[in-house]
Amino acid sequence: MAEPRSTEKPKRNLRWWPGGVLLVLAIAAISWVRLQTDWPFQKRNQTIAPIVLVTAILLLLWWTFFSRAPNRLRLGLTYGIVGTIIVGALLFRVRGMSGDLVPIFELRWAKRNITVSEPTSADGISASLIHSATNNFPQFLGPDRNGILAGPRFETNWTAHPPQLIWRQKVGEAWSAFAVVGNICVTQEQRGENECVVARELSSGKELWLHSDKARFNNIVAGEGPRGTPTVVSNRVFTCGGTGILNCLDLATGKLLWNQNLLTVNGGKIPDWGIASSPLVVDGMVIVHGGEAGKNSLHAFQFEDGKSVWSGGIMNPSYASPTFATLVGAPQILAFNDGAVSGHDPMTGATLWQRPWGNGYPACASPVVVSTNRVLFSSGYGVGAELLEISRTNSRFAVTPVWKSIRMKAKFSHMFAREGFLYGLDDGILACVDLKDGSQKWKEGRYGHGQGLLVGDLYLLMAESGELVLLRPTPEGPNELTRFRVFDSKTWNPIALAGDLLLVRNDREAACLRLPITSE
């Protein structure tokens, strides 16, 4: 008699090979991207992100529908992964991006209450606060707007002689730096729906006065709040907000003396990453970049009353602040625009010379004047640096490229030239380039997209991670000397040094440090 036929379905083995192939292909693709060392980090990250995302989706589809795994295991793992993604999306939000375009997450209910001391009344600020110190840092990148200071001489052993914290305060979001005159330090902040100019007592951090405008710029990649740094001249504070509001305020009281709306003047719009111009004061004029897609890129206003003097430049402005320089004996305003670099007559705004620039990505780093007839520009996103020589015959100017190099790609960190060499952050890694030919001497030390100052022969660098680093860079190497942790979050803001007091901040908090000084 025949045995009854079994009704059980034959057990099928797991189909592993599609998942294995996907992983091998993804690893190979990511490895290939990482090997493209000439690509900027941003491009590599932007390329790897979709590879990872597509691979994850395909792996999930394979596991759910084609793996032949037992139902309980297959569906349990699928539901677990999907549930984890949903819970993560409910708990966390993207707070912003690093300089290399890596997302930064925070809990959705995280709040930052800005607590400030009671402001001093306008009548209560004595003139001694304004004139009590001689080591002023009155504008973006310092007194000469080049990020270079003669002194003081720092103690280099921070283990034995660490920096001293004078005060620490929560601040509103912004990428503004501090300007310092006497015992008053001024910066910009975003507080809710208001762009604010805030003055504090340098020695204590106590809020002295606040001016606010109903305005707010926010971008998930670029961050929230104003981008420019105040400029202080003759007891006046000039600020340019992220939405294009140009203010002139009294340093002692914060009283508004005059203002202009750059979008109204220019007829343009706010650029993708906000208006980032730190006002430049030259010959009784306040000069700033305007909005995008407007009539002109540069605008000058009278120092005393804010009346328009001239508008110049036909290119869209980018995100670097205007710089004053004298090249081939001619005073001029250097403009770093979207698609070109140019020099302009300070009295009329007329274009003296212009050269095409870039690849369509933002230009942010300030130009570096190398000699009486040479100036260097640099951009990130794979553009690199170019040294230009300016010549002049009567009233006609000409531009000749000396060299172009991919070995210095300054995204928005300032560079400096010293004794025939250029130093700066090349895509977040400190590098040295020979100014004769653009060749790279060395590249080492990942500090991210931070900001620094050359003080004597020492480089004081605030890394993107929030660490303060002291180096003595030479053509032979970076020579890192010591470090000191200040912040635990992304720090893009330029730093300010008034004597031995260092003012640092990011989009969350600000601090004042007394740096150790050596008598040697």
Side-chain angles (χ1 to χ4, degrees), residues 226-457:
R227 346 306 261 148
T229 295
T231 299
V232 182
V233 177
S234 299
N235 294 348
R236 291 190 173 200
V237 181
F238 300 94
T239 63
C240 184
T243 62
I245 298 175
L246 176 65
N247 285 323
C248 173
L249 309 169
D250 183 83
L251 177 61
T253 65
K255 177 184 176 182
L256 178 65
L257 301 178
W258 57 260
N259 72 352
Q260 287 277 9
N261 188 309
L262 297 180
L263 299 186
T264 302
V265 172
N266 193 40
K269 62 179 183 179
I270 300 174
D272 290 342
W273 315 120
I275 292 177
S277 198
S278 298
L280 171 67
V281 178
V282 175
D283 292 332
M285 295 177 291
V286 183
I287 302 171
V288 290
H289 282 297
E292 188 177 71
K295 300 173 185 176
N296 300 102
S297 58
L298 277 175
H299 303 276
F301 303 92
Q302 287 184 9
F303 181 95
E304 290 296 333
D305 56 17
K307 291 181 179 178
S308 179
V309 179
W310 54 255
S311 293
I314 59 173
M315 305 294 293
N316 270 336
S318 196
Y319 303 94
S321 296
T323 301
F324 178 78
T326 299
L327 297 171
V328 291
Q332 52 196 272
I333 307 300
L334 300 179
F336 209 163
N337 302 307
D338 181 12
V341 294
S342 54
H344 300 262
D345 187 329
M347 303 310 297
T348 65
T351 301
L352 303 177
W353 57 267
Q354 183 168 289
R355 178 169 173 79
W357 181 270
N359 58 2
Y361 283 92
C364 306
S366 293
V368 177
V369 176
V370 173
S371 67
T372 57
N373 66 338
R374 290 185 173 185
V375 59
L376 182 138
F377 293 85
S378 179
S379 290
Y381 304 99
V383 174
E386 188 170 34
L387 181 64
L388 304 178
E389 184 169 286
I390 313 300
S391 58
R392 179 186 182 188
T393 303
N394 297 323
S395 60
R396 296 178 64 86
F397 290 77
V399 184
T400 304
V402 180
W403 53 255
K404 188 172 184 178
S405 173
I406 199 68
R407 301 305 177 189
M408 181 61 75
K409 302 175 290 296
K411 186 174 181 181
F412 47 71
S413 304
H414 183 62
M415 306 160 290
F416 65 90
R418 186 169 185 264
E419 297 178 351
F421 295 89
L422 178 74
Y423 301 87
L425 292 170
D426 174 31
D427 254 338
I429 302 177
L430 193 62
C432 173
V433 168
D434 193 325
L435 282 170
K436 291 195 299 292
D437 55 13
S439 61
Q440 191 175 82
K441 300 295 291 184
W442 50 260
K443 179 180 178 180
E444 55 183 282
R446 169 159 282 284
Y447 300 103
H449 300 275
Q451 301 282 358
L453 295 171
L454 181 67
V455 186
D457 64 343

Side-chain angles (χ1 to χ4, degrees), residues 120-314:
T120 302
S121 65
D123 295 334
I125 301 178
S126 85
S128 63
L129 279 177
I130 301 176
H131 300 292
S132 61
T134 57
N135 296 301
N136 293 334
F137 196 96
Q139 62 177 329
F140 177 59
L141 296 178
D144 296 324
R145 209 175 174 94
N146 62 0
I148 298 176
L149 303 174
R153 293 178 58 84
F154 295 131
E155 170 65 59
T156 59
N157 185 349
W158 285 358
T159 302
H161 308 280
Q164 176 189 359
L165 179 65
I166 303 301
W167 53 262
R168 184 188 294 267
Q169 293 274 4
K170 291 183 179 179
V171 294
E173 291 184 282
W175 300 124
S176 173
F178 280 96
V180 185
V181 171
N183 198 25
I184 297 180
C185 54
V186 189
T187 189
Q188 296 191 89
E189 305 176 19
Q190 189 71 41
R191 297 189 179 182
E193 296 302 314
N194 293 321
E195 276 188 344
C196 300
V197 184
V198 185
R200 288 184 170 83
E201 189 175 55
L202 175 62
S203 57
S204 67
K206 181 178 180 180
E207 188 174 301
L208 299 173
W209 54 257
L210 177 147
H211 170 84
S212 66
D213 293 295
K214 191 73 172 179
R216 178 174 179 262
F217 176 83
N218 188 30
N219 179 289
I220 194 168
V221 176
E224 183 175 1
R227 346 306 261 148
T229 295
T231 299
V232 182
V233 177
S234 299
N235 294 348
R236 291 190 173 200
V237 181
F238 300 94
T239 63
C240 184
T243 62
I245 298 175
L246 176 65
N247 285 323
C248 173
L249 309 169
D250 183 83
L251 177 61
T253 65
K255 177 184 176 182
L256 178 65
L257 301 178
W258 57 260
N259 72 352
Q260 287 277 9
N261 188 309
L262 297 180
L263 299 186
T264 302
V265 172
N266 193 40
K269 62 179 183 179
I270 300 174
D272 290 342
W273 315 120
I275 292 177
S277 198
S278 298
L280 171 67
V281 178
V282 175
D283 292 332
M285 295 177 291
V286 183
I287 302 171
V288 290
H289 282 297
E292 188 177 71
K295 300 173 185 176
N296 300 102
S297 58
L298 277 175
H299 303 276
F301 303 92
Q302 287 184 9
F303 181 95
E304 290 296 333
D305 56 17
K307 291 181 179 178
S308 179
V309 179
W310 54 255
S311 293
I314 59 173

